Amino acid sequence: MSDTLKVLLQHVLPKQRLTVLAGRIAGARGGAMTTRLIHWFVGKYGVDMGEAANPDIASYATFNDFFTRPLKPGARPIAAADFVCPVDGAISQLGPIDDHHMVQAKGHRFTTTDLVGGDAELAGRFQHGSFANLYLSPKDYHRLHMPCDGRLLRMIHVPGALFSVNPVTARGVPNLFARNERVVCVFESAEHGLFVMVLVGATIVGSIATPWHGVVNAKRTGKPSDWRYTDRDITLAKGEEMGRFLLGSTVVMLFERDRIAFTPDWAPERTVRLGEPMGHRPR
């Protein structure tokens, strides 16, 4: 099937209904059926169960339990760098924010204002800053971790479409990451300033969850939600878990101007792993 046809199909498929159905299947305690589904998935996508804290496929009660499985202790050492990679995945794009635009793929750009749900004041903090967009494929570990120490200030749930976020779709659907459903997490760091992690939903992504809230988008009301945490001390250390996808997707990170210089070998399409050096603060 051509890339063009794959993208066209996504415009006509009932993505919301498919996602609801997938979420129900992933959360169901199906016994032998669940085990067969996990076996099929592991074989289809080449999942390395040797890295899992629990490698026994038959022991997972639901597909979600399997999909969000923790890793063995020490499987992803956290580097001593100022910033570390927050996920296992691949780099879609990264680089400077041109005024308020970022590169989605060749020929496509999107704005920080659209990405964070229309808050121009928040987006303005990242004018001429830096961004990185990391894609998690089906075989990847699907918990997200902190790139540096940070205190949570705010979380915004932005309803939207549920296009796939794979590289083919990123090349073919304009404004993809600012159209899809997403959860915007705003952090501050004494050393690294304000930064944002945007967890982007996709077709058949059952839900997005965080340790401080649980499942963020359980009801999908279609209305934005905004939580403020300035009266609470929710501080997460570099490498600590900050979220998970119940069926995978993409994370987009925003940093203020002159806060990060990416590691030289970081480039689009490069495979990355949780905990490896991502960048350092310019001296």
Side-chain angles (χ1 to χ4, degrees), residues 134-170:
L134 308 180
Y135 168 67
L136 288 70
S137 72
K139 70 177 178 61
D140 289 320
Y141 167 66
H142 273 80
R143 298 190 184 197
L144 298 90
H145 296 250
M146 294 292 287
C148 60
D149 295 351
R151 179 172 179 261
L152 181 69
L153 300 180
R154 184 181 179 191
M155 181 173 73
I156 310 161
H157 173 241
V158 185
L162 289 167
F163 287 97
S164 169
V165 291
N166 63 32
V168 169
T169 313

Side-chain angles (χ1 to χ4, degrees), residues 93 96-115 128 131 133 170-179:
Q93 294 289 336
I97 298 170
D98 178 12
D99 192 10
H100 62 285
H101 285 89
M102 296 168 287
V103 176
Q104 172 179 304
K106 186 176 180 180
H108 295 303
R109 300 200 303 167
F110 62 110
T111 71
T112 51
T113 302
D114 288 341
L115 179 68
H128 302 297
F131 81 98
N133 183 343
R171 292 191 296 268
V173 177
N175 217 32
L176 173 64
F177 303 115
R179 292 172 68 173

Side-chain angles (χ1 to χ4, degrees), residues 135-230:
Y135 168 67
L136 288 70
S137 72
K139 70 177 178 61
D140 289 320
Y141 167 66
H142 273 80
R143 298 190 184 197
L144 298 90
H145 296 250
M146 294 292 287
C148 60
D149 295 351
R151 179 172 179 261
L152 181 69
L153 300 180
R154 184 181 179 191
M155 181 173 73
I156 310 161
H157 173 241
V158 185
L162 289 167
F163 287 97
S164 169
V165 291
N166 63 32
V168 169
T169 313
R171 292 191 296 268
V173 177
N175 217 32
L176 173 64
F177 303 115
R179 292 172 68 173
N180 270 17
E181 179 179 25
R182 55 207 179 276
V183 174
V184 181
C185 301
V186 184
F187 294 93
E188 69 172 357
S189 164
E191 185 176 2
H192 305 302
L194 200 74
F195 65 97
V196 164
M197 298 182 71
V198 183
L199 285 58
V200 183
T203 310
I204 75 167
V205 174
S207 294
I208 298 169
T210 68
W212 60 84
H213 185 96
V215 176
V216 179
N217 53 345
K219 295 183 179 180
R220 282 195 167 98
T221 62
K223 298 179 181 179
S225 299
D226 194 339
W227 296 268
R228 307 281 177 146
Y229 300 98
T230 51

Side-chain angles (χ1 to χ4, degrees), residues 86 91-95 97 102 130-134 196 198 250-255 260 262 266 278:
I91 301 168
S92 295
Q93 294 289 336
L94 82 167
I97 298 170
M102 296 168 287
S130 302
F131 81 98
N133 183 343
L134 308 180
V196 164
V198 183
T250 282
V251 59
V252 182
M253 293 175 286
L254 307 179
F255 300 97
I260 185 172
F262 289 109
W266 267 47
M278 180 173 72

